[in-house]
Amino acid sequence: MMRKILCSLLLASFAVSAQAETKVPTSQAEISLGFAPVVKQASPAVVNIYAKIVRQGRANPFFSDPFFQDFFGRGFGEPRPRVQNSLGSGVILSDDGYVVSNYHVVGTATEIRVVTTDRREFSAQVVLGDKESDIAILRLEEAENLPYLQMRDSDHVEVGELALAIGNPFGVGQTVSSGIISGLARTGAATGNARGYFIQTDAAINPGNSGGALIDVNGDLIGINTAILTRSGGSNGIGFAIPANLVAEFLRQAQGGNDSFISPWAGMAGQHMSADIAESLGLVVPLGVVVSDLHPLSPLAEAGLRVGDVVTHVDGDEVNSPAEMKFRMAVAGVGGTSMVTRLRGEERTEVEIALIKAPETPAAEETTLDDQTVMPGLTVSRVNPAVIAKMGLVLSQTGVVVVDAGSYGGGGGLRAGDVVNSINGTEIETPRDVVDALTDPGRRINLDVLRGGRSVFLRFRL
């Protein structure tokens, strides 16, 4: 009886997607093999990654004070760097050695070693990484004729499909776990990353699986395993993978020579469509993203969208969150156009928008203060759309933002992302204003900054 049930389940799962051209087992012998042929085909393209990361230790707050530094000497009490070893997985994407992994595994590594299933070792360098997307593309040194995985169109993945996760959990060695696709288009707090867009699976994923492969029954890459929901640190059957379509765009940009990921800029703030909002807009079904703010230079504003409009589709694909809309645009890539479906009242319209980089207007004029000021190492920049996108600022923000507080600014309470309104009562409009205000400012410094939408006043004596 169990054999008949297993046979039925396997037949159903192999036929789940005609678009994927899945293969149905034709004999009892093929069924008894389970996933062995798929694993044998795919596993050589999944690698173990060992990375060394240098992290600064915590500084004693007393030694950020100039008095203690003058008394004990510069450098006394400064944090000592610590070397941490990071363990993860990766997937070979091309025969000449391009490998994808998670940014949190290798993004800040000083040394990366990649080991294949046949025990060959390669040194590797990160050629393109993006912390927000948690994707890093590596290039193996002196690599050729490597096995690699084909990437499947992840938009055609369906809930209920069989899936295999391949990686190196807890460093025990390459391991395969099986499950199904549990959900699609996962975003928000449930994933632990409100900006992400993930495929959910119940295939067991544990620490060390990060950057490994999530494949279908044909051995094609569906996604890159990146996160789990857990209270214990182990797998609870809720894992998340970055869709292969986004990985493909990262690979394209890396092979094109980009050293940072360039994503199309919408210049829009959006809000998830709740039932209450849908009712207020006269919608029967809560669908789409409500436009809550638009930057004057936004390509959506240029195309005629305005606050209060609802975006329901991008290039024919349904979007129900800002993260999902951003994903659709990122997959399309900079330089082309996308068709956006706009709902305004009862009017539904297809609007073409340009996929552009965030503009550098006005010029950022990024400036790092020197020893002639009281906060050497403080780096500030004028706010523009590119800086807004990089720093996660509100679209309407203007002025000057702290890019790096440095040791002196950090000791005074400044943080990256703080917008400097005034220093000692002098209004700040440009990075040069910061330099002038912190050059011989007297014995007291009063800073008025905007932090997370709130005014913060920092006062200290020199």
Side-chain angles (χ1 to χ4, degrees):
M1 184 65 180
M2 286 298 296
R3 179 175 295 179
K4 290 183 178 180
I5 293 174
L6 177 60
C7 180
S8 299
L9 286 173
L10 283 172
L11 288 170
S13 65
F14 272 93
V16 86
S17 174
Q19 293 168 313
E21 298 182 358
T22 53
K23 300 175 183 178
V24 179
T26 58
S27 67
Q28 182 63 40
E30 289 184 5
I31 293 173
S32 66
L33 285 173
F35 297 116
V38 178
V39 173
K40 186 175 182 179
Q41 169 192 324
S43 60
V46 182
V47 297
N48 298 337
I49 294 179
Y50 304 89
K52 288 185 178 180
I53 300 173
V54 177
R55 300 191 187 279
Q56 288 294 117
R58 287 192 175 184
N60 189 314
F62 288 106
F63 294 108
S64 297
D65 191 309
F67 171 79
F68 284 95
Q69 291 180 344
D70 291 339
F71 189 79
F72 291 103
R74 303 278 178 178
F76 184 79
E78 289 184 354
R80 295 181 179 179
R82 296 178 293 112
V83 177
Q84 291 185 344
N85 293 316
S86 176
L87 175 68
S89 305
V91 180
I92 304 174
L93 299 178
S94 68
D95 62 358
D96 57 349
Y98 281 95
V99 173
V100 64
S101 186
N102 285 138
Y103 184 91
H104 75 261
V105 174
V106 298
T108 58
T110 56
E111 181 181 336
I112 303 171
R113 185 165 53 94
V114 174
V115 181
T116 61
T117 55
D118 58 5
R119 297 184 179 85
R120 285 183 293 169
E121 294 190 13
F122 297 90
S123 294
Q125 299 291 331
V126 176
V127 293
L128 189 155
D130 185 70
K131 184 177 181 180
E132 182 177 318
S133 300
D134 199 18
I135 300 177
I137 301 294
L138 311 174
R139 185 72 186 273
L140 306 188
E141 297 178 3
E142 300 179 356
E144 59 182 13
N145 298 324
L146 295 176
Y148 64 95
L149 290 187
Q150 297 287 347
M151 283 184 276
R152 176 178 165 187
D153 184 349
S154 54
D155 285 343
H156 293 159
V157 174
E158 297 184 45
V159 174
E161 284 191 44
L162 289 176
L164 303 177
I166 308 177
N168 183 19
F170 300 110
V172 300
Q174 190 177 92
T175 301
V176 182
S177 55
S178 67
I180 63 169
I181 300 301
S182 307
L184 301 170
R186 296 302 197 206
T187 63
T191 66
N193 184 348
R195 296 184 177 185
Y197 175 89
F198 302 100
I199 296 170
Q200 182 183 333
T201 179
D202 68 346
I205 297 173
N206 288 290
N209 272 110
S210 292
L214 185 69
I215 63 173
D216 63 13
V217 293
N218 291 319
D220 293 332
L221 187 67
I222 297 173
I224 298 299
N225 300 317
T226 188
I228 58 175
L229 277 185
T230 178
R231 294 180 180 177
S232 63
S235 175
N236 286 335
I238 303 177
F240 300 100
I242 299 167
N245 283 5
L246 184 58
V247 175
E249 176 61 18
F250 267 79
L251 177 63
R252 186 190 69 80
Q253 292 196 22
Q255 291 176 325
N258 288 8
D259 58 5
S260 60
F261 185 68
I262 301 174
S263 182
W265 179 69
M268 182 199 91
Q271 186 176 352
H272 175 75
M273 177 71 75
S274 66
D276 290 339
I277 296 175
E279 184 179 358
S280 69
L281 295 174
L283 300 177
V284 177
V285 178
L287 172 68
V289 180
V290 183
V291 178
S292 58
D293 195 10
L294 283 171
H295 192 280
L297 299 178
S298 165
L300 278 77
E302 180 71 21
L305 272 77
R306 63 192 188 204
V307 173
D309 286 348
V310 178
V311 176
T312 61
H313 295 77
V314 175
D315 291 328
D317 293 306
E318 187 177 297
V319 292
N320 288 296
S321 69
E324 193 168 352
M325 184 173 174
K326 183 175 181 178
F327 169 82
R328 293 297 172 194
M329 293 177 66
V331 168
V334 171
T337 61
S338 279
M339 295 301 298
V340 169
T341 304
R342 177 193 66 192
L343 189 62
R344 180 181 294 169
E346 296 182 354
E347 178 187 0
R348 187 180 299 271
T349 310
E350 295 288 328
V351 180
E352 186 177 45
I353 63 167
L355 299 176
I356 64 171
K357 295 192 296 184
E360 294 274 3
T361 306
E365 300 174 7
E366 186 171 301
T367 302
T368 300
L369 278 62
D370 58 23
D371 290 338
Q372 301 301 312
T373 70
V374 297
M375 289 188 184
L378 173 66
T379 302
V380 293
S381 172
R382 188 197 293 263
V383 175
N384 61 29
V387 174
I388 288 172
K390 178 182 177 181
M391 305 292 294
L393 305 176
V394 295
L395 287 175
S396 58
Q397 188 63 64
T398 58
V400 176
V401 65
V402 174
V403 177
D404 187 342
S407 58
Y408 289 89
L414 282 173
R415 302 177 187 172
D418 286 348
V419 176
V420 184
N421 292 326
S422 68
I423 300 176
N424 286 345
T426 300
E427 186 176 349
I428 301 300
E429 296 181 352
T430 68
R432 184 68 220 181
D433 293 340
V434 176
V435 175
D436 293 341
L438 293 178
T439 301
D440 194 20
R443 299 296 298 173
R444 296 175 182 271
I445 298 180
N446 298 319
L447 292 103
D448 174 13
V449 303
L450 189 67
R451 178 180 297 165
R454 294 185 176 184
S455 291
V456 177
F457 297 95
L458 304 175
R459 297 180 175 87
F460 56 98
R461 297 177 63 182
L462 298 178

